[in-house]
Amino acid sequence: MTVETAEAQSFKHEGRFLNVLGLALKNAGLSLLTLTLYRFWARTAMRRRLWSRTSLMGDPLEYTGTAGELLRGFLISLPTFFLPAIFVLYIAPLVFDPATAFWLVAGFYVIGVPLVAAARYLMRRYQLSRTRWRGIRLWLAGTASAFAWASFGWTILQTLSLGWYSPVARMNRAKMMWEHTRFGDQPFEFIDDGEPPAKGLWWPFALGWFAFPISYIATLFIVFAIGAAIVGTGAITGEQMSANPMLAVGIAAAVLISMLVLILFCWAPYNAAAMNRIAALISIDGARFKLRAKTFSLFAVSLAGWMITIFSLGLLAPMAGFLQVRYVFHRLEIIGHPKFAEIGQAIVPEGKAGESLGDAFDLDMGVGVI
Amino acid sequence: MQTRYADGRAAITHVTTLDVGTDTIAFRIGETEHVWPYAELRRADDGSGRVILKRHPDTGERLYLDETDSARLIVAAPGLNAKRAFGIEGPGTIAAITGAAWSLAAVFLLAVPLGAGPIADHVPPRYRAQIADISWSQINAFTEYCDDSDEAARILNDVAYRIMQESDVPMRDDVWITIVDAPFPNAFALPDHSIVVTDDLIALAEHPDELVGVIAHEIAHIEHNHIMKNIIRSVGAGIFFDVVFGGAGAGQMVAIASVNLASLRYSRGDETDADLRGLDYLDAAGIDTAGLARLFDRFAEQERPPTESEEEADGERSGGFPTMLSSHPATAERAAAARARSREGLNPSMTDAEWQIVRAACGGVVLPQSEPAPTAPPNAPPTNQPPVATPLPAPGTKPD
Ligand SMILES: [Zn+2]
């Protein structure tokens, strides 16, 4: 007897804020108690919680990774990443002349770009391989180095074009990730719908590119004008700042917070459009996806996440990931249905060690679901 | 919703009827009878209240229980309610992680100070010079070399050499004293065995023995390689916290804080060590240690919180530079230690003429030597100095 389902099905995310907050608080407390060594267990528990609250057709996703795997990955990254990093960042400035040390550090950051990309890919592979639905594993095929070098090239183009290559680069990265994603033995596809992948992203991108600097400069004037009004003078001088530390702190905080708000707000239309576009191009076994991310709601969710992260001094940062994951799955639909009876378990082995470099760069889930 | 089974080979579920026994559950799919012992079961619940079962080790099979079966199973197999069945670590694991973390930290706290000495002694001179260059570039950034101080520096170096010869200090040919113009009284020993003396320290001293006492103390830091040891301790602390507890948040903040605090001052032990050794030098060279005691007294006097009227007169004091020893809580004890070894009837460490030359360095001190000490210490930083100009000590730039 086989249970199959209706035409259009929503994903659901049943995670409740207070429930997740409770886990986040427990994790934060134990992380402090263990001098952050608990972080591998904290991350695992949080993922298990978030995955289990996400469901498709009534059955939940399941996270099967363990803290031991993350710890092992971290231990592997010690000699391969941390020791070279220590040498370059701590030892080289002391034992080489300044010019050599500078070039070493600069070179390190250049190598860092593909390294971060590779880490992202490996982390995604690990997380997908530890994600099951109805007992069937997901997987990311392909090689991290191919993604790293391609991504490096796109980063160079983004830099040379002052950011204007970013929409294309973002779609390229999504394409590479999704074309290598498997559910069981079934590949996801990143389809060609006859239009350029970055279609519809250019106006929102232009909006962000122009609106952010303009509104930021305008805000600076307003902040300083308010500050001057409070102090009761025409303009704020350096002397007033040093004489009145509260004023300096207040202005610095206002400037930083307004910058964060403006970044999120000005780029929200672009981010929403890009997420929706990527979702629309993903397909598995003929089924398609539809995401309805909207500018204001996305802005509100991102801002809430940042505020929680900032005011908890980073301890409750996983809450930001939770808000983002819940936002995406609340608004995600699958259209048509894959022939689940034909989707079998892949024969690829799980792999042993966890995310290694992911820990080094503190890349975590939530970011880049879509 | 009925109880359903997924076989781990295809992403579909089959409705089935569950038989809950005392040690096992059993159900039938088509012709096949499945019997799962409780001991092999783990839970993969979704938080909705219904039980989802998998097997250990994971076969990919999943059993989605309906509400009735869920309730029956919980009664029949209470062991499946344990944290372990959910894959959640118990209090024992948490205690082990906590123990491991604090043991690592303890080992580190012991190992780095122990290792710092031997490592410091084996740093090649080339690297020492390199590190000193960094210190010098920072010193040059917030002080000015005094063009008129050559003669004064020669006098100080002569006294220092005399002291080191009496005590047979091995690196006495390397030690070199430089006088700089800075708005705070201080003396630093650098990794290349240089000693930097600020003009405000010279101004603060009322007798040559006071200044020479500080120089002796700095020489002791050099002889015992405290500078390199301190740098290695700081770097070690940064690396340790960055790597072991790093990756995210708290660890890095601890690292940053520890590196900055550690690089600001020597350890208490090194300071006491340098005090004792410095007094030995002075004794051996026939210099009265009472001079150093008087200078310590004056610092202790400055550490006293200012009275209200003083605060008005000296409003910039709080925003000023860290003065030599200012953070040291035991300045009075150090003064007492120096005073205890004082001997009567010794000659001053310099002639009057030499002392006048030293006092004249960097534009000189207006007060004649015999005049009583001014009530307000002459070390108050310039009033127009914004706080941002506070010098950031380089690695190897150790206030006192
Ligand atoms: Zn000292």
Side-chain angles (χ1 to χ4, degrees):
Chain A
M1 192 173 342
T2 300
V3 180
E4 277 296 351
T5 44
E7 274 299 306
Q9 280 280 345
S10 294
F11 285 87
K12 273 197 188 125
H13 192 88
E14 313 263 8
R16 271 188 279 280
F17 188 85
L18 288 179
N19 176 279
V20 180
L21 182 66
L23 181 60
L25 286 172
K26 175 197 162 190
N27 284 342
L30 286 176
S31 293
L32 289 178
L33 177 70
T34 60
L35 310 171
T36 76
L37 199 59
Y38 186 73
R39 63 184 183 274
F40 308 107
W41 284 263
R43 214 169 275 185
T44 301
M46 182 55 80
R47 283 182 196 161
R48 193 181 289 141
R49 178 73 52 94
L50 294 188
W51 265 237
S52 72
R53 300 312 193 254
T54 307
S55 62
L56 173 65
M57 298 175 186
D59 290 328
L61 296 181
E62 187 190 335
Y63 181 74
T64 60
T66 65
E69 290 167 346
L70 292 185
L71 180 62
R72 199 176 310 143
F74 167 69
L75 293 177
I76 290 171
S77 76
L78 275 183
T80 53
F81 171 75
F82 275 112
L83 289 186
I86 284 166
F87 179 78
V88 170
L89 298 177
Y90 283 91
I91 311 289
L94 296 183
V95 301
F96 292 117
D97 63 274
T100 313
F102 170 80
W103 285 113
L104 259 178
V105 172
F108 182 77
Y109 281 111
V110 169
I111 293 169
V113 172
L115 213 56
V116 168
R120 228 173 236 296
Y121 202 82
L122 291 173
M123 186 167 79
R124 179 106 152 186
R125 169 177 298 165
Y126 172 75
Q127 291 187 7
L128 286 174
S129 74
R130 299 305 188 269
T131 300
R132 290 176 187 245
W133 184 73
R134 291 184 176 171
I136 305 293
R137 259 197 333 257
L138 281 91
W139 178 246
L140 185 66
T143 64
S145 62
F147 181 78
W149 291 117
S151 196
F152 190 29
W154 296 326
T155 304
I156 291 171
L157 289 176
Q158 281 175 274
T159 312
L160 293 179
S161 65
L162 302 176
W164 284 90
Y165 188 72
S166 297
V168 177
R170 185 163 180 170
M171 299 310 279
N172 287 346
R173 290 194 181 96
K175 181 177 159 72
M176 203 158 176
M177 284 280 194
W178 281 103
E179 281 187 342
H180 288 107
T181 303
R182 307 272 183 274
F183 175 58
D185 55 8
Q186 185 72 30
F188 282 81
E189 287 169 84
F190 198 78
I191 61 164
D192 179 1
D193 66 353
E195 308 271 5
K199 177 188 171 255
L201 301 189
W202 295 106
W203 284 114
F205 183 84
L207 186 69
W209 202 89
F210 287 110
F212 170 65
I214 292 170
S215 59
Y216 183 57
I217 290 165
T219 311
L220 285 188
F221 277 109
I222 295 169
V223 166
F224 276 89
I226 293 173
I230 292 170
V231 180
T233 53
I236 303 258
T237 62
E239 268 171 44
Q240 282 169 332
M241 296 271 252
S242 56
N244 188 347
M246 285 305 290
L247 178 69
V249 169
I251 286 185
V255 166
L256 282 176
I257 290 196
S258 58
M259 180 165 81
L260 176 66
V261 171
L262 286 173
I263 285 181
L264 295 177
F265 188 71
C266 294
W267 287 102
Y270 167 69
N271 283 325
M275 288 162 71
N276 291 341
R277 180 74 180 140
I278 289 170
L281 294 178
I282 301 169
S283 155
I284 180 166
D285 194 26
R288 300 279 294 272
F289 295 84
K290 186 175 171 67
L291 178 68
R292 284 186 308 269
K294 294 279 192 310
T295 297
F296 287 100
S297 53
L298 183 64
F299 165 68
V301 161
S302 328
L303 187 63
W306 273 100
M307 289 300 145
I308 291 172
T309 304
I310 289 170
F311 286 110
S312 68
L313 301 176
L315 285 172
L316 296 179
M319 293 304 290
F322 158 65
L323 291 176
Q324 219 169 6
V325 168
R326 185 174 69 167
Y327 178 82
V328 167
F329 282 111
H330 264 162
R331 288 155 179 269
L332 186 64
E333 268 179 12
I334 183 166
I335 301 163
H337 55 89
K339 296 179 214 63
F340 287 125
E342 288 168 17
I343 295 181
Q345 192 74 275
I347 45 170
V348 194
E350 270 192 328
K352 285 209 177 69
E355 299 167 349
S356 49
L357 290 179
D359 190 66
F361 299 118
D362 196 29
L363 308 169
D364 210 341
M365 40 77 44
V367 191
V369 176
I370 287 281
Chain B
M1 194 69 96
Q2 296 158 290
T3 294
R4 291 170 300 127
Y5 166 75
D7 63 8
R9 295 192 298 275
I12 51 169
T13 56
H14 309 269
V15 173
T16 186
T17 316
L18 196 65
D19 183 14
V20 178
T22 46
D23 296 315
T24 59
I25 49 171
F27 56 94
R28 179 177 288 277
I29 303 290
E31 295 302 301
T32 317
E33 171 84 9
H34 295 262
V35 179
W36 290 0
Y38 291 148
E40 282 179 16
L41 297 185
R42 296 289 183 273
R43 289 177 68 168
D45 292 20
D46 60 1
S48 68
R50 63 175 181 165
V51 172
I52 302 174
L53 292 175
K54 58 179 174 181
R55 301 178 73 180
H56 180 80
D58 198 353
T59 56
E61 292 166 283
R62 294 293 183 272
L63 198 59
Y64 302 88
L65 274 59
D66 66 14
E67 282 175 20
T68 327
D69 284 345
S70 297
R72 281 164 58 208
L73 181 76
I74 296 306
V75 175
L80 285 177
N81 269 337
K83 280 185 170 177
R84 198 171 141 267
F86 289 90
I88 299 171
E89 71 283 350
T93 309
I94 291 175
I97 300 166
T98 312
W102 287 96
S103 310
L104 272 171
V107 166
F108 161 78
L109 287 175
L110 295 175
V112 168
L114 281 179
I119 296 173
D121 292 342
H122 290 94
V123 172
R126 196 164 67 82
Y127 292 161
R128 254 195 8 233
Q130 210 78 61
I131 296 168
D133 282 352
I134 300 172
S135 310
W136 274 112
S137 64
Q138 302 239 345
I139 288 173
N140 291 337
F142 65 85
T143 70
E144 242 164 84
Y145 175 72
C146 297
D147 292 331
D148 62 355
S149 70
D150 288 0
E151 186 64 11
R154 188 192 58 76
I155 293 166
L156 294 184
N157 277 305
D158 282 351
V159 178
Y161 193 83
R162 214 175 72 217
I163 290 173
M164 289 186 284
Q165 231 174 356
E166 290 301 325
S167 297
D168 207 20
V169 175
M171 59 279 287
R172 56 181 174 271
D173 289 325
D174 296 353
V175 173
W176 187 256
I177 299 171
T178 306
I179 301 171
V180 298
D181 185 352
F184 48 90
N186 213 334
F188 317 94
L190 300 189
D192 63 355
H193 300 168
S194 297
I195 294 172
V196 176
V197 173
T198 71
D199 61 332
D200 278 24
L201 179 67
I202 297 175
L204 187 65
E206 288 164 12
H207 187 275
D209 291 357
E210 301 178 11
L211 182 61
V212 171
V214 173
I215 291 173
H217 173 92
E218 295 304 324
I219 293 171
H221 277 314
I222 291 173
E223 190 187 11
H224 293 170
N225 213 359
H226 289 159
I227 306 104
M228 283 310 296
K229 264 205 274 189
N230 196 30
I231 290 171
I232 286 164
R233 265 198 299 264
S234 304
V235 171
I239 291 173
F240 176 78
F241 281 106
D242 235 18
V243 167
V244 177
F245 303 124
Q252 266 148 3
M253 288 202 290
V254 172
I256 291 162
S258 72
V259 170
N260 286 345
L261 290 178
S263 64
L264 273 174
R265 53 188 67 96
Y266 293 110
S267 73
R268 186 78 65 89
D270 283 357
E271 215 53 84
T272 311
D273 186 25
D275 275 351
L276 289 176
R277 184 68 180 142
L279 294 176
D280 288 347
Y281 295 153
L282 296 177
D283 272 349
I287 298 170
D288 188 4
T289 57
L292 187 57
R294 286 196 304 274
L295 192 69
F296 278 138
D297 284 343
R298 223 162 298 137
F299 275 113
E301 168 74 12
Q302 284 179 25
E303 285 165 17
R304 181 177 58 80
T307 62
E308 244 172 67
S309 59
E310 272 173 343
E311 206 150 31
E312 270 166 34
D314 192 16
E316 289 293 316
R317 176 200 288 270
S318 56
F321 295 97
T323 53
M324 176 180 129
L325 320 172
S326 65
S327 56
H328 215 292
T331 309
E333 282 169 36
R334 301 173 79 182
R339 185 159 288 116
R341 290 174 63 165
S342 167
R343 285 181 289 153
E344 300 277 323
L346 297 171
N347 289 326
S349 50
M350 302 175 201
T351 65
D352 254 2
E354 286 172 329
W355 180 233
Q356 289 307 336
I357 292 171
V358 171
R359 299 274 280 173
C362 296
V365 177
V366 267
L367 297 169
Q369 184 199 346
S370 54
E371 204 157 290
T375 38
N379 73 313
T383 47
N384 59 351
Q385 201 78 44
V388 286
T390 303
L392 295 168
T397 312
K398 309 303 167 202
D400 185 38

